[in-house]
């Protein structure tokens, strides 16, 4: 059986460190959590994020707006939060209802409060390797790999998925860690041949248990980003965990792998934001 990369345990370590840091620095970080509508998954995610904030001493401010909220109303709120000195980070939970242009909303957030790392300025800084906010899921994944002292230098990392929030930013972070990176997507030819070459395989495609044993190299490190709810209510990743776990060196479970690390990374970003003048 492979080494389990325990995101729950590592995220707890990070939370303990942040709690201590906040207490000692006398920082009083504030995070605005903006939720528009009642998407059930978003309601759960924001609840978890607020709970994690409370655990470490970050004050969270909830803004729950009705589904019919207009672009103008949401932009007005963001403007207010941009100016609010108690608020160091602004998180707008995605997806937003269809009448709202999410890209415009993200671009209206003050880049210094963009703790999700989605603002074009922060995305540009990531590309250039300049300091800035990195998006939470990729940041959490790198943190998890590092805290297990797994080697990244010169390793072939294959990412399945090219979204703006996971695949693309993660590719940049892995490049900065000197991995050799391949990004795959739905039009990739011979996907199993490519994934089978990965020293580090990241599955971020949103297809339940898609990655099977024959798609994975023996001894690889497998990071499963997927969170898929089956008809029977069970939460599974994009990797067929039971098939793959016996041939790999290390693997993240779902739940308890990348999910808690994403939240820990959001907290890290918020504490960092509170350090800005
Ligand atoms: P998106 O739907 O935005 O992107 C999915 C990507 O996977 C796309 O690039 C798509 O290709 C690619 N893809 C889809 N099907 C295939 C296929 N059959 N073969 C190869 N590539 C494929 O998803 P997200 O990045 O937002 O999320 C991915 C998964 O990660 C989801 O399960 C989501 O719930 C989970 N997630 C988990 C988080 C956590 O904290 N644990 C955080 C964020 C996401 P193309 O571009 O060609 O369409």
């Amino acid at each position: 059986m492979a080494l389990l990369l325990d995101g729950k345990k590592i995220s707890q370590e990070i939370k303990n460190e942040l709690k201590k840091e906040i207490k000692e620095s006398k920082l009083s970080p504030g995070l605005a959590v903006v939720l528009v509508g009642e998407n059930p998954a978003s309601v759960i995610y924001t609840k978890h994020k607020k709970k994690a904030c409370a655990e470490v001493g970050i004050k969270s401010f909830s803004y729950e707006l009705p589904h019919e909220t207009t672009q103008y109303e949401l932009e007005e709120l963001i403007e207010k939060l941009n100016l609010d000195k108690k608020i160091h980070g602004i998180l707008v939970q995605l997806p937003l209802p269809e009448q709202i242009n999410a890209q415009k909303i993200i671009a209206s957030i003050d880049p210094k409060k963009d703790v999700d790392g989605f603002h074009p300025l922060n995305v540009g800084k990531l590309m250039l390797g300049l300091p800035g906010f990195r998006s939470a899921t990729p940041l959490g994944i790198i943190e998890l790999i590092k805290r297990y002292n797994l080697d990244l230098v010169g390793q072939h990392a294959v990412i399945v998925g090219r979204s703006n929030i996971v695949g693309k930013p993660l590719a940049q972070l892995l490049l900065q860690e000197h991995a050799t990176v391949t990004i795959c997507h739905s039009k990739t030819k011979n996907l199993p041949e490519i994934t089978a070459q990965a020293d580090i395989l990241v599955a971020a495609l949103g297809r339940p248990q898609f990655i099977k044993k024959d798609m994975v190299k023996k001894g690889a490190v497998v990071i499963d980003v997927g969170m898929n709810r089956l008809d029977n209510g069970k939460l599974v990743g994009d990797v067929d965990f039971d098939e793959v776990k016996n041939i790999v060196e290390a693997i993240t479970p779902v739940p308890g792998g990348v999910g808690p690390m994403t939240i820990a990374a959001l907290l890290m970003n918020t504490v960092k934001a509170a350090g800005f003048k």
Side-chain angles (χ1 to χ4, degrees):
M1 169 70 193
L3 168 68
L4 263 194
L5 302 175
D6 189 342
K8 213 171 156 192
K9 185 181 116 202
I10 301 295
S11 72
Q12 192 57 55
E13 274 175 31
I14 294 172
K15 283 192 275 187
N16 294 343
E17 290 163 15
L18 291 175
K19 191 173 176 177
K20 192 163 168 268
E21 195 182 329
I22 291 170
K23 217 171 154 186
E24 287 172 359
S25 68
K26 301 198 169 50
L27 287 174
S28 180
L31 176 69
V33 180
V34 181
L35 176 65
V36 185
E38 285 166 8
N39 176 321
S42 296
V43 171
I44 295 173
Y45 294 152
T46 51
K47 207 172 105 186
H48 286 161
K49 290 170 187 175
K50 286 184 278 187
K51 187 169 163 261
C53 281
E55 257 183 77
V56 302
I58 294 174
K59 201 158 185 204
S60 66
F61 300 85
S62 262
Y63 297 86
E64 288 169 14
L65 308 180
H67 183 87
E68 317 71 60
T69 301
T70 64
Q71 180 84 26
Y72 179 73
E73 286 166 334
L74 188 52
E75 281 177 13
E76 256 197 338
L77 171 64
I78 303 291
E79 219 176 292
K80 202 179 94 189
L81 298 174
N82 281 341
L83 298 172
D84 190 332
K85 292 212 161 43
K86 294 189 303 296
I87 307 277
H88 303 94
I90 302 172
L91 178 154
V92 179
Q93 185 64 44
L94 302 179
L96 289 166
E98 59 184 18
Q99 75 275 15
I100 293 179
N101 180 331
Q103 275 311 322
K104 272 184 83 179
I105 295 298
I106 290 166
S108 72
I109 296 173
D110 180 343
K112 291 196 201 71
K113 297 190 178 188
D114 171 40
V115 286
D116 258 337
F118 295 161
H119 190 286
L121 189 81
N122 282 315
V123 176
K125 286 182 169 178
L126 167 64
M127 285 292 296
L128 295 169
L130 296 173
F133 289 109
R134 310 307 193 211
S135 81
T137 302
L139 181 63
I141 291 171
I142 298 290
E143 194 67 28
L144 184 66
I145 292 174
K146 284 189 171 172
R147 289 197 182 221
Y148 274 96
N149 290 317
L150 297 169
D151 205 9
L152 283 169
V153 179
Q155 300 292 301
H156 185 193
V158 175
I159 305 169
V160 188
R162 57 172 163 179
S163 74
N164 290 336
I165 62 167
V166 186
K168 282 190 222 163
L170 179 61
Q172 284 302 323
L173 288 182
L174 286 166
L175 264 183
Q176 281 167 23
E177 298 296 332
H178 311 294
T180 303
V181 183
T182 303
I183 310 178
C184 303
H185 47 78
S186 67
K187 306 286 190 291
T188 298
K189 288 181 185 158
N190 306 328
L191 181 70
E193 262 175 47
I194 300 172
T195 56
Q197 292 170 30
D199 302 311
I200 297 161
L201 177 61
V202 182
L205 65 159
R207 301 273 180 273
Q209 297 165 322
F210 181 93
I211 304 288
K212 304 287 180 192
K213 194 171 150 187
D214 58 0
M215 299 172 79
V216 180
K217 181 161 116 179
K218 204 163 167 251
V221 171
V222 175
I223 307 292
D224 191 352
V225 184
M227 288 206 291
N228 312 286
R229 189 72 65 184
L230 299 181
D231 289 342
N232 63 12
K234 195 176 170 210
L235 187 67
V236 298
D238 290 347
V239 177
D240 192 329
F241 184 87
D242 289 332
E243 263 200 15
V244 167
K245 68 173 192 248
N246 294 318
I247 64 158
V248 295
E249 181 195 342
I251 186 166
T252 58
V254 176
V258 174
M261 290 306 298
T262 296
I263 296 188
L266 169 73
L267 302 178
M268 284 161 58
N269 277 346
T270 306
V271 170
K272 181 170 145 177
F276 279 110
K277 293 275 176 302

